[in-house]
Amino acid sequence: MDALDAAAAGITRHGLEWASDLTGGRRGTFAAYLGVGAEPPTLPLLSALVDAGHRVLLPVCEPELELSWVYWTPESGFVRSRFAPIQEPVGERHSTAVTLDATAIFLPATAVDFSGNRIGQGGGYYDKFLATLAALSSASGSSAAGRASDAVPLPTVAVVYDTEVLPAGSIPAESFDRKVDAALTPGGIIRLR
């Protein structure tokens, strides 16, 4: 097994365990993404989530740094995004509001630190999505009790390689940044903050 296959296997095993812990073994809905290029591979995790009975939402990049969401299955097709260097699912698009009913969010990142700060690809799509989700949650009164004010209203896990989890305070946070709860690596789930 090569390093990429081993990483995919670890991410799938630990990501599926995290999902099961959150749902108590019941079915849930997870907003996720398709890892491409040098990103940690997530396709096996996406398939495993669906095989376990969960629903999976994948993003589509829209104008003005907006994300829409498509319910994905292993039979879904992908097309090259018009706005970002990613593959996007083909299907009916839903607004960010659809993610309010999700169980949790698997986020892309190039690194996270133990303070819960994350670095993305720099495009700004996820920063805007997380801010919009927090605002929608506040407006609907559905914010989870006990969550920090800079947190997203749903549990979040950034998918990174083991070496991309950095000491607390390593990543500077901007006012628009939202902290993540955990890192999902090939080696396991790492609780942050």
Side-chain angles (χ1 to χ4, degrees), residues 28 56 84 95 110 112 121-122 130-132 141 150 161 163 172 187:
V56 172
S95 73
T110 58
V112 294
Q121 296 283 349
L130 294 172
T132 300
D150 62 350
Y161 290 107
T163 58

Side-chain angles (χ1 to χ4, degrees), residues 22-33:
L22 289 174
T23 62
R26 294 181 301 278
R27 293 182 177 161
T29 300
F30 294 89
Y33 72 99

